[in-house]
Amino acid sequence: MESIIIDIRNVLKNLSDEKSRLATERFFKERILAYGVKIPIVNQLSKEYYKKLKLKNKAEVFRYCEIFFKSEYLEEAFMACHWSDFIKKEFTADDVNIFEDWIFKYVTNWAVCDTFCTHTMGDLIMMYPENMDRLKEMAISDNRWMRRASAVSLIVPAKKGMFLDDIFEIANILLLDKDDMVQKGYGWMLKVASQKHQHEVFEFVEKFKEVMPRTALRYAMEKMPENLRQQALNKNKFLKRK
């Protein structure tokens, strides 16, 4: 295992570009470690090495994912996100414990949060909806990325029209959150849900628009018809502040 990790890291170092590294690190408000390898190349490397290794079981894959996450490098975290989702057919309901632990320990920026949660965590929830309560527990965490993850994990299900009541419940929990990353997360969740349930999402926004933070409101209404969008935006008291 150690030799493969060294090999992967050497490849990433050889493919690194200083301009890309600096641009990536400037792109985030948080401290980011990056090799400076473009995302499409990282995605391709993820597939190539996963096929080359021919890993025998889920536990072995998860051990690699943990090593990638622990490195704190953005590109390695993306590889962990991909590898964990490559074996989604082998997920069991109990894997939520591992995934929640990874989010809490290793997710430190929106890119990794969204990549992991829209794929690995979202797939798990669709396979085992009995874990929905775990997302609702995450929504009250002190950790901002756990709170964002509680919403972002439902992006793909929302796109399919699934779990609308749970989406509204999580949006309610996060409604007054002061963190802009969390506001964008649940606003995005509502926006995607509106594509299948426009009336219901609009009614939810209408009910809470006077207290919903501006950022969340804008995200939620982004795909709505212009007349509905303006109806919500023009009356939101946060937009009247200077």
Side-chain angles (χ1 to χ4, degrees):
M1 178 177 286
E2 185 176 343
S3 62
I4 295 297
I5 293 294
I6 292 172
D7 188 25
I8 291 172
R9 288 173 177 169
N10 284 335
V11 170
L12 288 169
K13 288 174 185 176
N14 290 334
L15 292 171
S16 66
D17 175 77
E18 184 65 7
K19 288 184 179 178
S20 294
R21 184 185 69 80
L22 293 174
T24 298
E25 291 179 354
R26 285 196 298 266
F27 191 67
F28 295 89
K29 294 179 182 179
E30 301 80 23
R31 170 185 169 272
I32 295 291
L33 283 177
Y35 290 100
V37 180
K38 295 185 182 302
I39 298 304
I41 297 175
V42 175
N43 295 345
Q44 187 59 36
L45 286 173
S46 293
K47 295 175 184 176
E48 289 177 1
Y49 271 95
Y50 184 79
K51 289 179 181 178
K52 184 187 297 186
L53 283 172
K54 297 179 180 178
L55 300 173
K56 297 178 181 178
N57 55 61
K58 180 175 66 175
E60 196 172 358
V61 175
F62 284 179
R63 283 197 294 272
Y64 274 100
C65 291
E66 185 107 23
I67 291 170
F68 288 140
F69 273 131
K70 282 182 177 179
S71 78
E72 298 185 3
Y73 275 86
L74 189 66
E75 293 89 346
E76 292 192 41
F78 285 148
M79 294 187 80
C81 295
H82 297 319
W83 283 29
S84 60
D85 200 49
F86 286 161
I87 56 167
K88 60 187 175 185
K89 290 182 180 179
E90 297 183 36
F91 288 171
T92 62
D94 288 344
D95 289 333
V96 71
N97 297 312
I98 295 171
F99 298 162
E100 185 177 335
D101 189 57
W102 286 350
I103 295 168
F104 183 78
K105 288 181 178 177
Y106 306 125
V107 171
T108 58
N109 60 78
W110 61 264
V112 175
C113 181
D114 296 359
T115 303
F116 183 75
C117 292
T118 57
H119 294 87
T120 302
M121 192 63 147
D123 285 336
L124 180 76
I125 295 298
M126 285 190 289
M127 292 170 68
Y128 301 102
E130 61 267 31
N131 279 324
M132 187 68 70
D133 285 345
R134 297 294 288 270
L135 293 186
K136 294 168 187 176
E137 292 171 9
M138 289 166 63
I140 61 174
S141 171
D142 290 336
N143 183 308
R144 69 191 303 206
W145 303 115
M146 292 278 278
R147 300 200 307 278
R148 181 179 174 99
S150 70
V152 175
S153 295
L154 293 178
I155 294 296
V156 173
K159 192 176 295 185
K160 297 175 182 290
M162 300 170 67
F163 305 138
L164 186 63
D165 289 341
D166 298 296
I167 285 168
F168 287 150
E169 187 173 344
I170 287 175
N172 254 314
I173 296 170
L174 301 174
L175 188 67
L176 302 180
D177 201 294
K178 292 182 166 66
D179 193 305
D180 68 324
M181 287 289 100
V182 179
Q183 294 169 14
K184 291 175 182 177
Y186 87 77
W188 179 21
M189 175 182 66
L190 290 172
K191 174 177 68 176
V192 174
S194 75
Q195 294 174 302
K196 292 285 188 181
H197 301 285
Q198 182 184 104
H199 174 74
E200 292 91 337
V201 173
F202 179 72
E203 289 297 312
F204 179 88
V205 172
E206 276 287 287
K207 181 177 180 180
F208 295 109
K209 66 185 179 183
E210 296 300 333
V211 296
M212 187 181 290
R214 172 179 178 174
T215 298
L217 180 65
R218 285 191 178 279
Y219 269 68
M221 296 302 297
E222 189 175 334
K223 295 294 184 180
M224 290 281 187
E226 186 62 20
N227 64 317
L228 298 182
R229 185 173 172 275
Q230 289 303 321
Q231 182 177 332
L233 293 176
N234 290 340
K235 293 183 179 180
N236 182 265
K237 65 182 181 181
F238 285 88
L239 295 181
K240 299 175 184 178
R241 292 180 177 176
K242 296 182 179 179

